Amino acid sequence: MPVTDVTIDENNLTVTVIADFAHPVERVWQLHTDPRRLERVWGPPAAPATFTEWDFRQGGRAFYYMTGTRDERYWGRWDILDIDPGHSFKVIDSFADEHGEPSTALPASRMSFVLEPAANGTRFTLTTTFETLDDLRKIAQEMGMTDGLSQAMSQADAVLDGIRQTYQGRVAHLEVLSDTGVKITRAIEAPRTLIWRAYNDPEMIRRWMLGPDGWVMSECKVAREVGQTFRYVWTTDPTVPGQQGESFGLEGELLLCQEPFRAVTTERMLGTEGPETINDLTLVEEDGITLVTTVIEYPDAQTRDMILGTGMIEGMEHSYARLERSLLAEPV
């Protein structure tokens, strides 16, 4: 994670985030001034950003929104005050409506982005200045700005290094985001459209989403439209000697579908009232390789630890490896 320090200074009404990148200033500058790259890091994992307007010049402006797990959109606006190319830029950052008009209910702030050469690459400093102490406490602490920025900027290395260099050859990787949130990443050597199909075609799902060897999927109902429900049931393979006929299942509702990029579902064990999780799947393709990211939101830390303790990550890796081996080697 590139973030090395977060400082809240109530006397000067500032929040300062410092990050160190093992890349030259020119590359980090490009990340923060190219909207297609920037939107991969500006929003936190569970609320990715989309820039709809980008006029990067002094006096220009940019509009963006972040999409939550239930398709809720949080709009923002930058009014660009000053640019020192390759070194810094300053903006007024405002909450906004869908037309880009600044919010009158939530405070604006001034943001200063500064990039400086460092021994191992680039020192990046983002300073946010508020008008009042109440504004700082509301945005930085009550609304979780500091956690959101740290989580968002933790995604920058993959954009700077590239998916292939960062993730290729690595097994399913778990990152704990908070007491209630985790992120699992796995790169697969295949185009995003094929991966999307593998998550939504029952025939393909039955061939790879099985966890450890010795299980088969006996029921596979897919949700294809928001509001529909899915239902997956696994049983021990009856052809394997010594199997005890065990079974378990998962069910849930499709909350958000942005084909072939993002799908969000609820999930719970079949036949129970909970605990229910929110599973946020995103697929990002770069140079023929797709990064599969699943952000899971649990109701509490105890539930998180209980589910992770079942060997979930190992089971996911078995499935991902099977996906590569049995499906993507010979696409269907």
Side-chain angles (χ1 to χ4, degrees), residues 3-276:
V3 174
T4 56
D5 186 69
V6 178
T7 302
I8 298 176
D9 185 342
E10 293 192 347
N11 292 324
N12 291 306
L13 305 179
T14 60
V15 175
T16 302
V17 179
I18 297 175
D20 291 310
F21 298 99
H23 294 273
V25 168
E26 294 80 5
R27 190 163 178 80
V28 181
W29 176 263
Q30 183 184 42
L31 169 64
H32 289 89
T33 57
D34 176 342
R36 299 289 77 84
R37 290 174 175 266
L38 182 60
E39 61 191 10
R40 288 175 59 185
V41 302
W42 187 242
T50 301
F51 280 86
T52 60
E53 181 177 327
W54 185 263
D55 183 13
F56 190 70
R57 60 180 176 83
Q58 186 171 336
R61 63 185 185 181
F63 296 147
Y64 66 91
Y65 62 87
M66 298 179 185
T67 305
T69 54
R70 297 179 183 270
D71 203 19
E72 63 273 42
R73 294 189 174 185
Y74 309 99
W75 290 83
R77 166 176 172 157
W78 285 357
D79 289 277
I80 302 170
L81 302 175
D82 181 65
I83 301 173
D84 181 0
H87 174 62
S88 67
F89 63 95
K90 299 176 182 179
V91 306
I92 296 177
D93 181 47
S94 308
F95 293 89
D97 62 20
E98 66 271 23
H99 305 295
E101 293 301 316
S103 169
T104 57
L106 292 169
S109 61
R110 289 176 176 260
M111 284 186 163
S112 171
F113 299 73
V114 178
L115 287 70
E116 299 172 298
N120 296 316
T122 300
R123 167 65 58 92
F124 173 85
T125 304
L126 172 58
T127 303
T128 305
T129 305
F130 296 90
E131 291 290 333
T132 69
L133 182 57
D134 285 344
D135 291 349
L136 182 152
R137 289 175 174 172
K138 181 177 183 63
I139 303 301
Q141 298 171 337
E142 295 176 22
M143 296 182 66
M145 169 192 162
T146 53
D147 288 342
L149 280 174
S150 294
Q151 290 181 16
M153 294 175 67
S154 72
Q155 303 166 118
D157 279 341
V159 182
L160 291 166
D161 291 334
I163 293 173
R164 188 175 299 279
Q165 179 177 333
T166 305
Y167 294 100
Q168 188 179 37
R170 192 167 77 174
V171 298
H173 175 72
L174 171 69
E175 178 184 344
V176 176
L177 301 175
S178 66
D179 285 346
T180 58
V182 302
K183 179 171 73 173
I184 302 102
T185 50
R186 176 63 148 80
I188 297 177
E189 188 82 31
R192 177 170 61 184
T193 52
L194 184 56
I195 302 295
W196 181 270
R197 183 182 168 194
Y199 270 94
N200 289 278
D201 182 321
E203 179 183 348
M204 295 180 75
I205 292 171
R206 289 177 185 273
R207 293 168 59 183
W208 73 272
M209 195 181 292
L210 303 174
D213 293 337
W215 292 84
V216 296
M217 184 175 280
S218 56
E219 187 174 345
C220 181
K221 174 189 174 186
V222 177
R224 291 190 172 88
E225 298 180 4
V226 171
Q228 291 184 347
T229 57
F230 71 89
R231 178 185 172 100
Y232 301 146
V233 178
W234 293 268
T235 59
T236 49
D237 189 343
T239 67
V240 177
Q243 296 283 22
Q244 301 299 313
E246 300 176 16
S247 68
F248 74 97
L250 297 171
E251 61 183 358
E253 178 185 348
L254 183 61
L255 303 179
L256 174 67
C257 182
Q258 297 174 319
E259 184 179 353
F261 168 66
R262 189 180 183 203
V264 182
T265 63
T266 63
E267 185 178 279
R268 62 182 174 274
M269 289 290 292
L270 197 63
T272 71
E273 296 297 325
E276 186 174 82

Side-chain angles (χ1 to χ4, degrees), residues 45-46 172-175 177 181-186 199 208 263-265 267 277-283 291-298 312-313 316 320:
H173 175 72
L174 171 69
E175 178 184 344
L177 301 175
V182 302
K183 179 171 73 173
I184 302 102
T185 50
R186 176 63 148 80
Y199 270 94
W208 73 272
V264 182
T265 63
E267 185 178 279
T277 65
I278 303 292
N279 291 12
D280 187 350
L281 170 74
T282 59
L283 307 178
L291 179 64
V292 180
T293 301
T294 305
V295 176
I296 305 177
E297 179 184 331
Y298 299 94
M312 182 187 80
I313 304 301
M316 292 177 70
Y320 286 138

